[in-house]
Structure formats: C-alpha cells, structure tokens
Coordinates of all heavy atoms in Angstrom, one line a residue:
M262 N 81.8 191.7 60.3 CA 80.8 190.8 59.9 C 80.3 191.2 58.5 O 79.9 190.3 57.7 CB 79.7 190.7 60.9 CG 80.1 189.9 62.1 SD 78.8 189.5 63.3 CE 77.6 188.7 62.3
A263 N 80.2 192.5 58.3 CA 79.7 192.9 57.0 C 80.6 192.4 55.8 O 80.1 192.1 54.7 CB 79.6 194.4 56.9
V264 N 81.9 192.4 56.0 CA 82.8 191.9 55.0 C 82.6 190.5 54.7 O 82.5 190.1 53.5 CB 84.3 192.1 55.5 CG1 85.3 191.4 54.5 CG2 84.6 193.6 55.7
F265 N 82.3 189.6 55.7 CA 82.0 188.2 55.5 C 80.7 188.0 54.8 O 80.5 187.2 53.9 CB 82.1 187.4 56.8 CG 83.5 187.3 57.3 CD1 83.8 187.9 58.5 CD2 84.5 186.6 56.6 CE1 85.1 187.8 59.0 CE2 85.8 186.6 57.0 CZ 86.1 187.1 58.3
A266 N 79.7 188.9 55.1 CA 78.4 188.8 54.5 C 78.5 189.1 53.0 O 77.9 188.5 52.1 CB 77.4 189.8 55.1
Q267 N 79.3 190.2 52.7 CA 79.6 190.5 51.2 C 80.3 189.4 50.5 O 79.9 189.1 49.4 CB 80.4 191.8 51.1 CG 79.6 193.0 51.5 CD 80.5 194.3 51.5 OE1 81.7 194.2 51.5 NE2 79.9 195.4 51.4
L268 N 81.3 188.8 51.2 CA 82.0 187.7 50.5 C 81.1 186.5 50.3 O 81.1 186.0 49.2 CB 83.1 187.3 51.4 CG 83.9 186.0 51.0 CD1 84.6 186.3 49.7 CD2 84.9 185.5 52.1
E269 N 80.3 186.2 51.2 CA 79.3 185.1 51.1 C 78.3 185.4 50.0 O 78.0 184.5 49.2 CB 78.6 184.8 52.4 CG 77.6 183.7 52.3 CD 78.2 182.3 52.0 OE1 79.4 182.1 52.3 OE2 77.5 181.4 51.5
R270 N 77.8 186.6 49.9 CA 76.9 186.9 48.8 C 77.5 186.8 47.5 O 76.9 186.3 46.5 CB 76.4 188.4 49.1 CG 75.4 188.8 48.0 CD 74.1 188.0 48.1 NE 73.3 188.2 46.9 CZ 73.0 187.3 46.1 NH1 73.3 186.0 46.4 NH2 72.3 187.5 45.0
R271 N 78.8 187.2 47.4 CA 79.5 187.1 46.1 C 79.7 185.7 45.7 O 79.6 185.3 44.5 CB 80.9 187.9 46.2 CG 81.3 188.5 44.9 CD 82.5 189.4 45.1 NE 82.3 190.5 46.0 CZ 83.1 190.8 47.0 NH1 84.2 190.1 47.2 NH2 82.9 191.8 47.8
L272 N 80.0 184.8 46.7 CA 80.2 183.4 46.4 C 78.9 182.7 45.9 O 78.9 181.9 45.0 CB 80.8 182.7 47.6 CG 82.2 183.0 48.0 CD1 82.5 182.4 49.4 CD2 83.2 182.6 47.0
I273 N 77.8 183.1 46.6 CA 76.5 182.6 46.2 C 76.2 183.0 44.8 O 75.7 182.2 44.0 CB 75.4 183.1 47.2 CG1 75.6 182.4 48.5 CG2 74.0 182.8 46.6 CD1 74.7 183.0 49.6
S274 N 76.5 184.2 44.4 CA 76.2 184.8 43.1 C 77.0 184.0 42.1 O 76.5 183.6 41.0 CB 76.5 186.2 43.1 OG 76.4 186.7 41.7
E275 N 78.3 183.8 42.3 CA 79.1 183.0 41.4 C 78.6 181.6 41.2 O 78.6 181.1 40.1 CB 80.6 183.0 41.9 CG 81.3 184.4 41.8 CD 82.6 184.4 42.4 OE1 83.1 183.3 42.8 OE2 83.2 185.5 42.6
R276 N 78.3 180.9 42.3 CA 77.8 179.6 42.2 C 76.5 179.5 41.4 O 76.3 178.6 40.5 CB 77.6 179.0 43.6 CG 78.8 178.6 44.3 CD 78.6 177.7 45.5 NE 77.7 178.4 46.5 CZ 78.1 179.0 47.5 NH1 79.4 179.2 47.8 NH2 77.2 179.6 48.4
T277 N 75.6 180.5 41.6 CA 74.3 180.5 40.9 C 74.6 180.7 39.4 O 74.0 180.1 38.5 CB 73.4 181.6 41.4 OG1 73.2 181.4 42.8 CG2 72.1 181.7 40.7
K278 N 75.4 181.7 39.0 CA 75.7 182.0 37.6 C 76.3 180.7 37.0 O 76.0 180.4 35.8 CB 76.7 183.2 37.5 CG 76.0 184.5 37.8 CD 77.0 185.6 37.7 CE 76.3 186.9 38.1 NZ 77.2 188.1 38.1
A279 N 77.2 180.1 37.7 CA 77.9 178.9 37.1 C 76.9 177.8 36.9 O 76.9 177.1 35.8 CB 79.0 178.4 38.0
A280 N 76.0 177.6 37.8 CA 74.9 176.5 37.7 C 74.0 176.8 36.5 O 73.6 175.9 35.7 CB 74.1 176.4 39.0
L281 N 73.6 178.1 36.4 CA 72.7 178.5 35.3 C 73.4 178.3 33.9 O 72.8 177.8 33.0 CB 72.2 179.9 35.4 CG 71.2 180.1 36.5 CD1 70.9 181.6 36.7 CD2 69.9 179.4 36.3
A282 N 74.7 178.7 33.8 CA 75.4 178.5 32.6 C 75.6 177.0 32.2 O 75.5 176.7 31.1 CB 76.8 179.2 32.8
E283 N 75.8 176.2 33.2 CA 75.9 174.8 33.0 C 74.6 174.2 32.5 O 74.6 173.4 31.5 CB 76.3 174.1 34.3 CG 76.6 172.6 34.2 CD 77.1 172.1 35.6 OE1 78.0 172.7 36.2 OE2 76.5 171.1 36.0
R284 N 73.5 174.6 33.1 CA 72.2 174.1 32.6 C 71.8 174.6 31.2 O 71.3 173.9 30.4 CB 71.1 174.5 33.6 CG 71.2 173.8 34.9 CD 70.0 173.9 35.8 NE 69.0 173.2 35.2 CZ 67.7 173.2 35.6 NH1 67.4 173.9 36.6 NH2 66.8 172.5 35.0
K285 N 72.2 175.8 30.9 CA 72.0 176.4 29.6 C 72.8 175.6 28.6 O 72.3 175.3 27.5 CB 72.3 177.9 29.6 CG 71.8 178.6 28.3 CD 72.0 180.1 28.4 CE 71.5 180.8 27.2 NZ 71.6 182.2 27.3
A286 N 74.0 175.3 28.9 CA 74.9 174.6 28.0 C 74.4 173.2 27.8 O 74.6 172.6 26.7 CB 76.3 174.5 28.6
A287 N 73.7 172.6 28.7 CA 73.1 171.3 28.6 C 71.8 171.3 27.8 O 71.2 170.3 27.6 CB 72.8 170.7 30.0
G288 N 71.3 172.5 27.4 CA 70.1 172.6 26.6 C 68.9 172.8 27.3 O 67.8 172.7 26.8
V289 N 68.9 173.0 28.6 CA 67.7 173.2 29.4 C 67.2 174.6 29.2 O 68.0 175.6 29.2 CB 68.0 173.0 30.9 CG1 66.8 173.3 31.8 CG2 68.5 171.6 31.2
R290 N 65.9 174.7 28.9 CA 65.3 176.0 28.7 C 65.1 176.7 30.0 O 64.4 176.2 30.9 CB 64.0 175.9 28.0 CG 63.4 177.2 27.6 CD 62.0 177.1 27.0 NE 61.5 178.4 26.6 CZ 61.1 179.3 27.4 NH1 61.2 179.2 28.7 NH2 60.6 180.5 26.9
L291 N 65.7 177.9 30.2 CA 65.6 178.6 31.4 C 64.4 179.6 31.4 O 64.1 180.1 30.3 CB 66.9 179.4 31.7 CG 68.2 178.5 31.8 CD1 69.4 179.4 31.9 CD2 68.1 177.5 32.9
G292 N 63.8 179.9 32.5 CA 62.7 180.8 32.5 C 61.4 180.1 32.5 O 61.3 178.9 32.3
R293 N 60.3 180.9 32.6 CA 59.0 180.3 32.6 C 58.5 180.1 31.1 O 59.0 180.7 30.2 CB 58.0 181.1 33.4 CG 57.7 182.4 32.7 CD 56.7 183.2 33.6 NE 56.2 184.4 32.9 CZ 55.1 184.9 33.0 NH1 54.3 184.5 33.9 NH2 54.8 186.0 32.3
E294 N 57.5 179.2 31.0 CA 57.0 178.9 29.7 C 56.2 180.2 29.1 O 55.7 180.9 29.9 CB 56.0 177.8 29.8 CG 56.7 176.5 30.1 CD 57.6 176.0 29.1 OE1 57.3 176.1 27.9 OE2 58.7 175.5 29.5
R295 N 56.2 180.3 27.8 CA 55.5 181.4 27.2 C 54.0 181.1 27.4 O 53.5 180.0 27.2 CB 55.8 181.5 25.7 CG 57.2 182.0 25.6 CD 57.4 182.6 24.2 NE 58.7 183.2 24.1 CZ 59.3 183.3 22.9 NH1 58.8 182.9 21.8 NH2 60.5 183.9 22.9
V296 N 53.2 182.2 27.7 CA 51.8 182.0 27.9 C 51.0 182.4 26.6 O 49.9 182.0 26.5 CB 51.3 182.9 29.0 CG1 50.2 182.2 29.8 CG2 52.4 183.3 30.0
I297 N 51.6 183.1 25.7 CA 50.9 183.6 24.5 C 51.2 182.6 23.4 O 52.4 182.3 23.1 CB 51.4 185.0 24.1 CG1 51.1 186.0 25.3 CG2 50.7 185.4 22.8 CD1 51.7 187.4 25.0
A298 N 50.2 182.0 22.8 CA 50.3 181.0 21.8 C 50.9 181.6 20.6 O 50.8 182.8 20.3 CB 48.9 180.5 21.4
P299 N 51.7 180.8 19.8 CA 52.3 181.3 18.6 C 51.3 181.9 17.6 O 51.6 182.9 16.9 CB 53.0 180.1 18.0 CG 53.2 179.2 19.2 CD 52.0 179.4 20.1
E300 N 50.1 181.4 17.5 CA 49.1 181.9 16.6 C 48.7 183.3 17.0 O 48.5 184.1 16.1 CB 47.8 181.0 16.6 CG 48.0 179.6 16.2 CD 48.5 178.7 17.4 OE1 48.1 179.0 18.6 OE2 49.3 177.8 17.2
V301 N 48.6 183.6 18.3 CA 48.3 184.9 18.7 C 49.4 185.9 18.4 O 49.2 187.0 18.0 CB 47.9 184.9 20.3 CG1 47.7 186.3 20.8 CG2 46.8 184.0 20.5
E302 N 50.6 185.4 18.6 CA 51.8 186.3 18.3 C 51.8 186.6 16.8 O 52.0 187.8 16.4 CB 53.1 185.6 18.6 CG 53.3 185.5 20.1 CD 54.7 185.0 20.5 OE1 55.6 184.9 19.6 OE2 54.9 184.7 21.7
E303 N 51.4 185.6 15.9 CA 51.4 185.9 14.5 C 50.3 186.9 14.2 O 50.4 187.8 13.3 CB 51.1 184.6 13.7 CG 52.3 183.7 13.7 CD 52.0 182.3 13.2 OE1 50.9 182.2 12.6 OE2 52.8 181.4 13.3
R304 N 49.1 186.8 14.9 CA 48.0 187.7 14.7 C 48.4 189.1 15.1 O 48.1 190.1 14.4 CB 46.8 187.3 15.5 CG 45.6 188.1 15.2 CD 45.1 188.0 13.8 NE 43.9 188.8 13.6 CZ 43.8 189.6 12.5 NH1 44.6 189.5 11.5 NH2 42.7 190.4 12.4
V305 N 49.1 189.3 16.2 CA 49.6 190.6 16.6 C 50.5 191.2 15.6 O 50.4 192.4 15.2 CB 50.3 190.5 18.0 CG1 51.0 191.8 18.3 CG2 49.4 190.1 19.1
Q306 N 51.4 190.4 15.1 CA 52.3 190.9 14.0 C 51.6 191.3 12.8 O 51.9 192.3 12.2 CB 53.4 189.8 13.7 CG 54.3 189.5 14.8 CD 55.1 188.2 14.6 OE1 55.2 187.7 13.5 NE2 55.7 187.7 15.7
A307 N 50.6 190.5 12.4 CA 49.8 190.8 11.2 C 49.0 192.1 11.4 O 49.0 193.0 10.4 CB 48.8 189.7 10.9
L308 N 48.4 192.3 12.5 CA 47.7 193.5 12.8 C 48.6 194.7 12.8 O 48.2 195.8 12.2 CB 46.9 193.4 14.1 CG 45.7 192.5 14.1 CD1 45.2 192.3 15.6 CD2 44.6 193.0 13.3
R309 N 49.7 194.6 13.3 CA 50.7 195.7 13.4 C 51.2 196.0 12.0 O 51.4 197.2 11.6 CB 51.9 195.3 14.3 CG 52.8 196.5 14.6 CD 52.1 197.5 15.5 NE 53.2 198.4 15.9 CZ 53.0 199.7 15.9 NH1 51.9 200.3 15.6 NH2 54.0 200.5 16.3
A310 N 51.4 195.0 11.2 CA 51.9 195.2 9.8 C 50.8 195.9 8.9 O 51.1 196.6 8.0 CB 52.2 193.8 9.1
E311 N 49.5 195.8 9.3 CA 48.4 196.5 8.6 C 48.5 198.0 9.0 O 47.7 198.7 8.4 CB 47.1 195.9 9.0 CG 46.8 194.5 8.5 CD 45.5 193.9 9.0 OE1 44.7 194.7 9.6 OE2 45.3 192.7 8.9
G312 N 49.3 198.3 9.9 CA 49.5 199.8 10.3 C 48.7 200.2 11.5 O 48.6 201.4 11.8
L313 N 48.1 199.2 12.2 CA 47.4 199.6 13.4 C 48.4 200.0 14.5 O 49.5 199.4 14.7 CB 46.5 198.4 13.9 CG 45.4 198.0 13.0 CD1 44.8 196.7 13.5 CD2 44.3 199.0 13.0
S314 N 47.9 200.9 15.4 CA 48.7 201.3 16.6 C 48.6 200.1 17.6 O 47.8 199.2 17.5 CB 48.1 202.6 17.2 OG 46.9 202.3 17.8
I315 N 49.5 200.2 18.6 CA 49.5 199.2 19.6 C 48.1 199.1 20.3 O 47.6 198.1 20.6 CB 50.6 199.5 20.7 CG1 52.0 199.4 20.0 CG2 50.5 198.5 21.8 CD1 52.4 198.0 19.5
R316 N 47.6 200.3 20.6 CA 46.2 200.3 21.3 C 45.2 199.7 20.4 O 44.3 199.0 20.8 CB 45.9 201.7 21.7 CG 46.8 202.2 22.9 CD 46.2 203.4 23.6 NE 47.1 203.9 24.6 CZ 47.2 203.5 25.8 NH1 46.4 202.5 26.2 NH2 48.0 204.0 26.7
A317 N 45.2 200.0 19.1 CA 44.3 199.5 18.2 C 44.4 198.0 18.0 O 43.4 197.2 17.9 CB 44.4 200.1 16.8
V318 N 45.6 197.5 18.1 CA 45.9 196.0 18.1 C 45.2 195.4 19.3 O 44.6 194.4 19.2 CB 47.4 195.7 18.0 CG1 47.6 194.2 18.2 CG2 48.0 196.1 16.7
A319 N 45.4 196.0 20.5 CA 44.8 195.5 21.7 C 43.3 195.5 21.6 O 42.7 194.4 22.0 CB 45.2 196.4 22.9
E320 N 42.7 196.5 21.1 CA 41.3 196.5 20.9 C 40.8 195.4 19.9 O 39.8 194.8 20.1 CB 40.8 197.9 20.4 CG 41.0 199.0 21.5 CD 40.7 200.4 20.9 OE1 40.1 200.5 19.8 OE2 41.0 201.3 21.6
A321 N 41.5 195.3 18.8 CA 41.2 194.3 17.8 C 41.2 192.9 18.4 O 40.3 192.0 18.1 CB 42.1 194.4 16.6
L322 N 42.2 192.6 19.2 CA 42.3 191.3 19.8 C 41.2 191.0 20.8 O 40.6 189.9 20.8 CB 43.7 191.1 20.6 CG 44.9 191.1 19.7 CD1 46.2 191.1 20.6 CD2 44.9 189.9 18.8
T323 N 40.8 192.0 21.5 CA 39.6 191.9 22.4 C 38.4 191.7 21.6 O 37.5 190.8 22.0 CB 39.5 193.2 23.3 OG1 40.7 193.4 24.0 CG2 38.4 193.1 24.3
V324 N 38.2 192.4 20.5 CA 37.0 192.2 19.7 C 36.9 190.8 19.1 O 35.8 190.2 19.0 CB 36.9 193.3 18.6 CG1 35.9 193.0 17.6 CG2 36.7 194.7 19.2
E325 N 38.1 190.3 18.7 CA 38.1 189.0 18.2 C 38.0 187.9 19.2 O 37.9 186.7 18.9 CB 39.5 188.8 17.4 CG 39.6 189.6 16.2 CD 41.0 189.5 15.6 OE1 41.8 188.6 15.9 OE2 41.3 190.3 14.7
G326 N 37.9 188.3 20.5 CA 37.7 187.3 21.5 C 39.0 186.6 22.0 O 38.9 185.6 22.7
I327 N 40.1 187.1 21.6 CA 41.4 186.5 22.1 C 41.7 187.0 23.5 O 41.8 188.2 23.7 CB 42.5 186.8 21.1 CG1 42.2 186.3 19.7 CG2 43.8 186.3 21.6 CD1 43.1 186.7 18.6
V328 N 41.8 186.1 24.4 CA 42.0 186.5 25.8 C 43.4 186.8 26.1 O 44.3 186.1 25.6 CB 41.5 185.4 26.7 CG1 41.6 185.7 28.2 CG2 40.1 185.0 26.4
A329 N 43.7 187.9 26.8 CA 45.0 188.2 27.2 C 45.6 187.2 28.2 O 44.8 186.5 28.9 CB 45.0 189.6 27.9
P330 N 46.9 187.1 28.3 CA 47.5 186.1 29.2 C 47.1 186.2 30.7 O 46.9 185.2 31.3 CB 49.0 186.4 29.1 CG 49.2 187.2 27.9 CD 47.9 187.9 27.6
G331 N 46.8 187.4 31.2 CA 46.4 187.6 32.5 C 44.9 187.4 32.7 O 44.4 187.5 33.8
G332 N 44.2 187.3 31.6 CA 42.8 187.2 31.7 C 42.0 188.5 31.5 O 40.8 188.5 31.3
G333 N 42.7 189.6 31.7 CA 42.1 190.9 31.6 C 42.2 191.5 30.2 O 42.3 190.7 29.2
A334 N 42.4 192.8 30.1 CA 42.5 193.5 28.8 C 44.0 193.3 28.4 O 44.9 193.2 29.2 CB 42.1 194.9 29.0
W335 N 44.2 193.4 27.1 CA 45.5 193.4 26.5 C 46.2 194.7 26.9 O 45.6 195.8 26.7 CB 45.5 193.3 25.0 CG 45.2 191.9 24.6 CD1 44.0 191.3 24.3 CD2 46.2 190.9 24.4 NE1 44.1 190.0 24.0 CE2 45.4 189.7 24.0 CE3 47.5 190.8 24.5 CZ2 46.1 188.5 23.8 CZ3 48.2 189.6 24.2 CH2 47.4 188.5 23.9
Q336 N 47.4 194.6 27.3 CA 48.2 195.8 27.7 C 49.2 196.1 26.6 O 49.8 195.2 26.0 CB 48.9 195.6 29.1 CG 48.0 195.3 30.2 CD 47.1 196.5 30.5 OE1 47.5 197.6 30.5 NE2 45.9 196.2 30.8
P337 N 49.5 197.4 26.4 CA 50.5 197.8 25.4 C 51.8 197.2 25.7 O 52.6 196.8 24.8 CB 50.5 199.3 25.5 CG 49.2 199.7 26.0 CD 48.8 198.6 26.9
S338 N 52.2 197.1 26.9 CA 53.5 196.5 27.3 C 53.6 195.1 26.9 O 54.7 194.6 26.4 CB 53.8 196.7 28.8 OG 52.8 196.0 29.5
T339 N 52.5 194.3 27.0 CA 52.5 192.9 26.6 C 52.7 192.8 25.0 O 53.5 192.0 24.5 CB 51.2 192.2 27.0 OG1 51.0 192.4 28.4 CG2 51.2 190.8 26.6
L340 N 52.0 193.7 24.3 CA 52.1 193.7 22.9 C 53.5 194.1 22.4 O 54.0 193.6 21.4 CB 51.0 194.5 22.3 CG 49.6 194.1 22.5 CD1 48.6 195.1 22.1 CD2 49.4 192.7 21.9
H341 N 54.1 195.0 23.1 CA 55.5 195.5 22.8 C 56.4 194.3 22.9 O 57.3 194.1 22.1 CB 55.9 196.6 23.7 CG 55.4 198.0 23.2 ND1 55.9 198.6 22.0 CD2 54.5 198.8 23.7 CE1 55.3 199.7 21.9 NE2 54.5 199.9 22.9
R342 N 56.3 193.5 24.0 CA 57.1 192.3 24.2 C 57.0 191.3 23.1 O 57.9 190.7 22.6 CB 56.8 191.7 25.5 CG 57.6 192.2 26.7 CD 57.6 191.3 27.9 NE 56.3 190.9 28.3 CZ 55.4 191.6 29.1 NH1 55.8 192.7 29.5 NH2 54.2 191.1 29.3
V343 N 55.7 191.1 22.7 CA 55.4 190.1 21.6 C 56.1 190.6 20.3 O 56.8 189.8 19.6 CB 53.9 190.0 21.3 CG1 53.7 189.2 20.1 CG2 53.3 189.3 22.5
L344 N 56.0 191.9 20.0 CA 56.6 192.4 18.8 C 58.1 192.4 18.9 O 58.8 192.2 17.8 CB 56.1 193.8 18.5 CG 54.6 193.9 18.2 CD1 54.1 195.3 18.2 CD2 54.3 193.2 16.8
S345 N 58.7 192.7 20.0 CA 60.2 192.7 20.1 C 60.7 191.3 20.0 O 61.8 191.1 19.5 CB 60.6 193.4 21.5 OG 60.2 192.6 22.5
R346 N 60.0 190.3 20.5 CA 60.5 188.9 20.3 C 60.5 188.6 18.8 O 61.4 187.8 18.4 CB 59.6 187.9 21.1 CG 59.9 187.8 22.5 CD 59.3 186.5 23.1 NE 57.8 186.5 23.0 CZ 57.0 186.8 24.0 NH1 57.5 187.1 25.1 NH2 55.7 186.7 23.8
A347 N 59.5 189.0 18.1 CA 59.4 188.7 16.7 C 60.6 189.4 15.9 O 61.1 188.9 14.9 CB 58.1 189.2 16.1
A348 N 61.0 190.6 16.3 CA 62.0 191.3 15.7 C 63.4 190.7 15.9 O 64.3 190.8 15.1 CB 62.0 192.8 16.1
A349 N 63.5 190.0 17.0 CA 64.8 189.4 17.4 C 65.2 188.2 16.7 O 64.7 187.6 15.9 CB 64.9 189.1 18.9

C-alpha cells in the first residue's frame, strides 16, 4: 500500500505543478498580494541608502508612524525581504 501511496502523491504533485505552470503562462499572478505599499518600500530603500542599519530603519519607520504589515513592530526579516525584492 505504501508504494501506491507514493505513486499517488507523485501524480498529485505533477498535476499541481502542471496546473500552476499553466496559470502562470496565462498571466495569472500566483501567491498572495503584497501588503507593503510601494511608497513604504521606497522609504525603506532610501533609509538604507542613507547608511542606516536594518534595526535603525525599523526604528525610523516606527517613529514616522508607518505601521508594519502585521500591525506590530517592524521586524528585520521583513525589511530584508523588502530590500531583496528591490535588488532583484
């Protein structure tokens, strides 16, 4: 039975990958919507370009009253993602 379970799992995986590739080829945006506004992303990049550390950028955004996506404090991991998207 384990062999058939593995086979079925492999078939499901193949069908899922094919369906996602088909949707992507059709121009459908995959994944969830971005929660951080483009203006905030630009501000993060500008603060980092001024030479601020990631933690200093987080503090500056908090002082400016820019709310983090989760509603809490800005996390360094969130800012790293914003900066890596800009570099790509």
Side-chain angles (χ1 to χ4, degrees):
M262 287 190 54
V264 172
F265 290 115
Q267 287 177 341
L268 174 66
E269 180 63 24
R270 180 67 195 120
R271 215 172 298 131
L272 291 173
I273 291 170
S274 174
E275 288 174 10
R276 287 193 301 263
T277 301
K278 287 178 185 176
L281 288 173
E283 191 175 307
R284 293 195 67 188
K285 190 172 184 178
V289 175
R290 186 185 182 289
L291 303 174
R293 69 179 187 154
E294 295 295 320
R295 289 199 176 155
V296 215
I297 301 174
E300 302 83 34
V301 176
E302 290 189 9
E303 291 172 10
R304 183 67 183 137
V305 169
Q306 294 166 16
L308 289 170
R309 188 70 170 138
E311 291 175 13
L313 292 170
S314 69
I315 296 293
R316 291 196 185 275
V318 170
E320 291 172 14
L322 292 173
T323 303
V324 168
E325 292 176 14
I327 300 174
V328 181
W335 283 92
Q336 299 298 317
S338 59
T339 304
L340 296 173
H341 278 291
R342 272 195 312 273
V343 169
L344 293 168
S345 67
R346 276 197 302 256

